Amino acid sequence: MDILSKIKLLGNRIKLTPIHYFLLVVMVIIILSFLSVIKLELVVNGLIMGSIIAMGSMGLTLVYGNLKFAHIAHGDFMTLAAYIVLFILMVPLHSMGLQSTGLGPFTFGYPLLLALPFAVLIAALAAITLDVVIYRRLRDRGSSTVIIAMCSLGVAIALRGIVQVIWGGDIEQYPRLSKLYYQLPMDVRIPPDAIFITGVALISTFFLHLFLTKSKIGKAMRATADNTELARVTGINTNLVTMWTWALSAGFAAIAGVLLAVFQAQLLPSMGWSFLIPLFAAVILGGIGNPYGAFLGAMIVGVSGEVSTQWINPSYKPVIAFAILAIMLLMRPQGILGGKD
Amino acid sequence: MNLLNIAKITAGYGDTEILHKVSLNIDKRELVTVVGPNGSGKSTLMKTILGIVKPTKGNITFQGESIAGTPTQEIVRNGISYVPQAYNVFTSLSIIENLEMGAFINSGDPSKKISEVLELFPDLVDKRKVKAGYLSGGQRQMLALARALMLNPAILLLDEPTAGLAPMMIEAVFEKIQLINSSGMAILLIEQNAREALKISNRAYVLAAGHNQLDGKGKDLLNNPEVARLYLGG
């Protein structure tokens, strides 16, 4: 306990702004890659992975901000959305004759771009329905957030079960055209879909930022996350805010799920579930309830996970995420950008 | 007809009753203060008016209509604004955004109303883009008042607006309260600084242990030796 409190004290004494942290990290990466201690390629791959984690963790942190519980079913929303896209590609679009692959530099075809908005919409509607049917009832009954989180664990298992019942447990794949990796300077090779993944992530993040800072309901979401009691007595329609929170959270989870399926070139019923630890690590790293922090946290988790594979077995990547999570909770529990609680 | 009429309200948290048959009324344009020692149920009274705490007995009418058991949002929409004692601004939102949230239930552009309200609080004008978390205690209190005014309420409920402020700031807050009241808005005020509050109030109620103790004109209570001995520190 003594050592722990000392570490915590040290963490509190160092007063660095987020910009300091960012520059520090960039500097360390550049120096290390010039000294060939780490491969720059892994850093770049980490940023791609980070983009996917960011999509998932920003949604997760929004739900925490508003409803103050850890939504354990978040990863399985990713899975569900990825499979919904698979369904749309293989059934309606396929029967309409829309089945091209290899759009431009990418492995997938334009049908995926057609299917993605539908998956986002369906995931958003599913999340709102789930809230009305389950979570809201628990809240109205005054259940503690731990009970609601445990309930979401049940929802997670149920969602995965549904996916398994419909699609089976085998590995699936979107229709794709295999392409060579792109060769960049400094021995960096990136997969063909990398630009798409980071591009979608950056654009979605930018739209989320616009939504939260410019729209009335977005500001109300921030106000509710800041102080729910005050939001209520100010007259903010907190039910409407909750609905929007779910829609955004699930929509972002859907994007994350599809991007993950594209990046890994495979779909598995457990893909979202096993993604939960990096998601939570990113959320906590950035400060719980802070979407900008979650984005930054996601990049850090993504890069450190990929870079670690230079020395350790890639199957231990979640361990790195978990270690980051534990160290962060000890040293700076409020997160890099300082969220709530 | 009173603007707000509280008739023999009994309310509390769970099985703990805090208010016992408390009655209070306030007319249009009135400034009414509730004084009483800590734990006398002053804050609970306000939360009951707002529907945050549900009354088990008694009735509350606002502009002639019963509002007991109505959801908080509806009560706010009907024209009752509330400034809680603590945590009364959105610290991660800018001043402007705080004021916009104050007008959430109104559709349309709030910017005209914002500049109108900010005229009352010139100190906040230069800081309109600053996050409320960076403001001093007094400035926060002013912002909280401004936010509550955004809805043009018929009545303003203020829960200890001067708590924890420096003497100069306390004076400034009382000035604002008087200014707002003189514009025709009814104000129900809970105050620790009972002497100052009674001076500016039309009427006042003394609450003790969840019961009505005394009520009367502000100045009368100020001169009442018993009130002075018990609640004004001699």
Side-chain angles (χ1 to χ4, degrees), chain B residues 25-34 177-178 181-182 184-189 196-205 215-222:
Chain B
N25 60 66
I26 175 166
D27 280 324
K28 280 176 189 158
R29 297 173 172 275
E30 253 192 325
L31 172 51
V32 171
T33 301
V34 179
I177 291 171
Q178 273 179 296
N181 179 238
S182 67
M185 198 177 288
I187 295 179
L188 181 62
L189 176 69
E196 296 304 312
L198 289 177
K199 271 183 206 158
I200 62 169
S201 308
N202 299 112
R203 288 187 304 119
Y205 290 80
D215 57 283
K217 289 198 168 137
K219 301 226 165 64
D220 291 350
L221 287 183
L222 202 57

Side-chain angles (χ1 to χ4, degrees), chain A residues 212-213 216-217 219-220 222-224 226-241 340, chain B residues 50 52 72-73 76-77 82 84 87-93 97 100-107 147 151:
Chain A
L212 289 175
T213 52
K216 185 174 170 182
I217 193 76
K219 289 176 195 172
R222 282 163 53 219
T224 309
D226 185 312
N227 189 337
T228 312
E229 268 312 301
L230 184 62
R232 211 164 282 144
V233 299
T234 302
I236 290 174
N237 187 343
T238 44
N239 283 334
L240 185 71
V241 166
K340 305 280 292 172
Chain B
L50 275 160
I52 300 170
T72 303
Q73 259 155 43
V76 174
R77 198 170 299 224
Y82 168 56
Y87 307 110
N88 51 19
V89 295
F90 299 111
T91 49
S92 63
L93 270 61
E97 286 171 335
E100 282 172 0
M101 288 302 106
F104 183 86
I105 59 180
N106 291 340
S107 50
R147 194 219 79 232
L151 285 177

Side-chain angles (χ1 to χ4, degrees), chain A residues 28-106:
Chain A
V28 168
I29 288 172
I30 290 174
I31 292 170
L32 288 181
S33 56
F34 267 112
L35 297 174
S36 345
V37 177
I38 56 171
K39 292 188 194 142
L40 197 59
E41 177 179 300
L42 292 176
V43 176
V44 173
N45 267 313
L47 290 176
I48 300 164
M49 202 60 193
S51 307
I52 301 172
I53 299 173
M55 292 289 92
S57 56
M58 286 193 296
L60 193 58
T61 214
L62 284 177
V63 168
Y64 187 90
N66 184 350
L67 301 168
K68 314 287 182 242
F69 81 94
H71 187 226
I72 298 170
H74 199 72
D76 290 280
F77 262 98
M78 290 171 56
T79 314
L80 187 69
Y83 275 87
I84 288 170
V85 165
L86 181 72
F87 170 79
I88 297 173
L89 288 177
M90 302 307 268
V91 184
L93 293 182
H94 194 268
S95 64
M96 285 158 70
L98 304 173
Q99 42 181 299
S100 83
T101 56
L103 171 74
F106 310 128

